[in-house]
Amino acid sequence: MKPSGTARKALLAVLILASAPPTMAQTPADIFRKADADTSGGLSRAEFRRFIDLSAEAGRDRAKMVRINNAYDRAFAQLDSDKDGALSRAELRSG
């Protein structure tokens, strides 16, 4: 049974969207909000890893390098200037 014309168009639209390259339209603030799972306003190490992965997928070169080199912990330690175990937006901006 062949899908109807409407079903074929819907399937094609889904396939096109799924294969589209990452977009730079996501701002760092958007990515921060997505990564901040507990909405604390800061990123734990696990949330930072998610932030880096989302940033790399959005095409950000520095995040790609952290991910390629599996340097999440080193990057986190360098950015956590007050050594409280969480990264604030200000700490991320300063890095």
Side-chain angles (χ1 to χ4, degrees), residues 7-94:
R8 275 194 304 262
K9 287 178 186 176
L11 179 58
L12 181 58
V14 168
L15 292 174
I16 289 170
L17 290 173
S19 64
T23 178
M24 290 291 286
Q26 289 187 47
T27 67
D30 294 333
I31 296 170
F32 187 97
R33 280 190 292 278
K34 287 181 182 178
D36 186 16
D38 63 3
T39 65
S40 66
L43 299 180
S44 66
R45 285 185 181 272
E47 290 170 332
F48 175 69
R49 184 180 188 98
R50 175 90 170 125
F51 176 82
I52 291 295
D53 290 342
L54 290 170
S55 296
E57 290 165 14
R60 294 191 164 42
D61 290 336
R62 290 177 73 186
K64 287 179 186 180
M65 292 307 298
V66 170
R67 185 163 71 173
I68 287 168
N69 292 302
N70 197 26
Y72 299 95
D73 289 337
R74 185 173 58 209
F76 186 94
Q78 288 175 346
L79 291 169
D80 188 15
S81 59
D82 62 6
K83 306 300 180 207
D84 68 349
L87 295 178
S88 67
R89 291 175 191 253
E91 286 173 316
L92 283 171
R93 280 191 298 267
S94 70

